[in-house]
Amino acid sequence: MGKTRANRAVRTPGGLSVRLDVRALTVVVLLLVAALAASVVLIGTGDFPIAAGDVLRTLLGDGNAGQEFIVNELRLPRVLVGLLVGASLGLGGALFQALSRNPLGSPDILGLGQGATAGALLVIVLFSGNATQVTVGALAGGLGAGLAIYLLAWKRGVHGYRLVLVGIGMSAIMTAVNGYLLTKADLVDAARAVVWMTGSLSGRDWAQVWPLLALCAVLVPLVLGNARGLRMMEMGDDVSYALGVRVERVRLLLMLSAVLLTAAATAAAGPVSFVALTAPQLARRLTRSPGPNLLPSLCMGATLLVAADWVSQRVFGADQMPVGVVTGVLGGVYLLWLLVIERKAGRI
């Protein structure tokens, strides 16, 4: 006989009963601790190293003037953008994989990142836009790609494999568009566009933190509040309807949330690849829990991106590698491993 999962039911005074998965909750707590610890270490990393204890004292308002400037103005915004971007990509990836019922159904594969990149490139190449305009262009491009994928995949509802196939086609189209835009750009704009397309946290400040934080503050509770409906939908639309889930309404709401999260993350840091693909898979392997694992995926994404940023700064010395390159290399290796596992299991 298999082992019984450690679940506990918590009852509130109002009679509401909530089931807690102890292992999943433990994984979430450990990932949060790891993300915070990595953030403290990352804040202390740089040309002017600061010990972890001094970083904590500075964050609590007890550092000297030099430490407060370096920590609060230079490094803290970068780390916060990394945490928020990683969390957004992890949650967005978990949503798409659950909605498509496919481990490859992530924004990287479906073309949302490429759509956001196309929007940003249009602003850079055609209008030589500033940072704010590039951000708006990336958001518009991601939303446009998401809307096109949804409409093209619609046929009496949106189903998993059709969504993935349409997304792969959209990704190919957007990649071609991006290549064309680069060929039409002048040298300065092309160089600027290529730097943005690598995905980087360098130079990020509070102007990128607040919009992304506000978006996450709205969308994360909204997504988690619909987690039950998403889990019911994994059993099929007919069963979900029978259980009282308004399937298409929930699917559209969650897809819109996933597109917004992905587009906002891309707008803030550029197209950081493979975090949305790997975070939900790693979270599921840690929790060993069925279902979308939304909160563990969010925490895993934040941890992965901060850890990758630390690697980009420490391993390559003075020649700091953009975090998008690090996640691309690690994510590509993981994707190959995932494909081998899926093939051995006879699923592809």
Side-chain angles (χ1 to χ4, degrees):
M1 295 179 63
K3 293 183 179 179
T4 303
R5 291 189 60 82
N7 294 322
R8 294 183 180 179
V10 178
R11 295 185 179 276
T12 66
L16 178 65
S17 178
V18 179
R19 185 178 65 86
L20 293 179
D21 186 327
V22 176
R23 182 184 179 91
L25 182 61
T26 303
V27 168
V28 167
V29 172
L30 292 177
L31 286 174
L32 285 174
V33 171
L36 293 176
S39 299
V40 171
V41 173
L42 185 58
I43 290 174
T45 300
D47 294 333
F48 185 81
I50 303 176
D54 292 333
V55 170
L56 291 174
R57 281 192 290 271
T58 304
L59 290 174
L60 295 174
D62 197 26
N64 59 45
Q67 291 173 339
E68 287 185 358
F69 175 75
I70 292 172
V71 170
N72 295 328
E73 299 300 326
L74 298 182
R75 297 179 183 173
L76 181 59
R78 172 178 178 147
V79 171
L80 290 177
V81 170
L83 289 171
L84 291 169
V85 167
S88 299
L89 292 175
L91 183 57
L95 287 171
F96 273 113
Q97 290 178 23
L99 290 169
S100 65
R101 303 173 197 168
N102 191 316
L104 298 179
S106 79
D108 304 302
I109 307 298
L110 299 181
L112 294 175
Q114 291 85 346
T117 301
L121 286 180
L122 280 171
V123 174
I124 293 173
V125 173
L126 299 182
F127 306 106
S128 297
N130 56 34
T132 301
Q133 293 168 334
V134 170
T135 298
V136 174
L139 282 170
L143 287 171
L147 178 61
I149 292 170
Y150 186 85
L151 293 176
L152 291 172
W154 174 271
K155 185 179 180 181
R156 294 190 298 274
V158 176
H159 300 283
Y161 282 103
R162 190 160 61 241
L163 181 68
V164 172
L165 290 174
V166 171
I168 291 173
M170 180 62 65
S171 178
I173 293 171
M174 289 294 100
T175 299
V177 169
N178 294 339
Y180 173 77
L181 288 173
L182 284 176
T183 64
K184 292 299 181 181
D186 60 42
L187 186 60
V188 174
D189 286 338
R192 180 184 170 201
V194 169
V195 170
W196 187 88
M197 289 173 63
T198 58
S200 176
L201 296 175
S202 297
R204 298 306 183 264
D205 56 25
W206 291 104
Q208 283 85 35
V209 173
W210 298 121
L212 192 54
L213 180 61
L215 186 71
C216 289
V218 173
L219 292 182
V220 171
L222 179 65
V223 168
L224 296 180
N226 285 275
R228 179 183 176 277
L230 180 61
R231 186 163 184 171
M232 295 297 103
M233 288 164 57
E234 291 187 335
M235 296 187 293
D237 289 0
D238 293 337
V239 175
S240 302
Y241 278 121
L243 294 172
V245 178
R246 303 178 67 176
V247 174
E248 287 307 322
R249 179 179 177 181
V250 172
R251 181 180 285 126
L252 179 59
L253 176 65
L254 293 180
M255 280 194 65
L256 178 60
S257 299
V259 169
L260 283 171
L261 288 167
T262 303
T266 304
V272 179
S273 58
F274 285 111
V275 173
L277 174 68
T278 57
Q281 296 295 319
L282 294 175
R284 186 173 293 111
R285 282 169 169 77
L286 287 177
T287 63
R288 299 178 186 174
S289 175
N293 286 277
L294 297 179
L295 192 56
S297 299
L298 181 152
C299 298
M300 177 62 75
T303 304
L304 284 178
L305 195 54
V306 173
D309 194 31
W310 181 86
V311 170
S312 72
Q313 294 189 50
R314 295 290 294 178
V315 174
F316 300 98
D319 299 323
Q320 292 185 13
M321 187 172 289
V323 68
V325 176
V326 177
T327 60
V329 171
L330 298 178
V333 172
Y334 176 80
L335 177 59
L336 292 175
W337 176 82
L338 179 63
L339 291 173
V340 170
I341 295 297
E342 293 288 308
R343 183 179 179 183
K344 287 183 177 179
R347 289 188 285 267
I348 60 174

